[in-house]
Amino acid sequence: HGLWPEWANECGGTALDINALSSIRSDLEKYWLSCPEYGSDNETFWKHEWEKHGTCSGMGQLEFFQKGLALRQQYLSKCSGGSTCTVCFDKTFATLEDCPGSETMV
């Protein structure tokens, strides 16, 4: 349900500015929805995604969410067989890698 840099979590940094995502908000509301287990609205979920994962990505807020949406679109066809799918990349998000501990590898 997002873009997770696996090399670190919760790296600190600036709080999510939801206004910075206004140009892609409609795509986020369509493709990056809050998970039911969080029991929160999308903005709260996006804040969680940024604080836990985005701050470790080396990208700015808009760039992080744009990259997640772009990678989803690019690899969606490889993930159509089940309810979950994991696609792993190197730190540049350019080269596919095997996903450690995952059943689904692209």
Side-chain angles (χ1 to χ4, degrees):
H1 62 250
L3 182 59
W4 294 2
E6 291 295 319
W7 48 88
N9 282 310
E10 299 176 22
C11 294
T14 60
L16 179 65
D17 175 7
I18 200 66
N19 295 319
L21 308 179
S22 63
S23 64
I24 61 168
R25 185 173 181 118
S26 62
D27 287 336
L28 289 171
E29 289 176 344
K30 187 173 182 179
Y31 301 118
W32 205 323
L33 301 172
S34 177
C35 292
E37 64 267 22
Y38 287 107
S40 61
D41 59 51
N42 289 335
E43 287 187 14
T44 302
F45 179 60
W46 301 331
K47 180 181 180 217
H48 159 80
E49 291 291 283
W50 170 251
E51 289 174 355
K52 183 157 185 155
H53 309 295
T55 56
C56 300
S57 69
M59 293 183 258
Q61 295 174 9
L62 179 60
E63 183 184 9
F64 171 76
F65 286 97
Q66 285 176 320
K67 178 60 88 173
L69 291 168
L71 291 172
R72 177 198 175 275
Q73 180 64 33
Q74 184 175 356
Y75 291 95
L76 184 61
S77 65
K78 297 185 183 298
C79 297
S80 60
S83 62
T84 63
C85 178
T86 302
V87 181
C88 296
F89 302 90
D90 66 357
K91 285 187 175 186
T92 67
F93 297 102
T95 303
L96 290 171
E97 295 184 341
D98 287 338
C99 301
S102 176
E103 295 177 16
T104 305
M105 299 190 193
V106 177

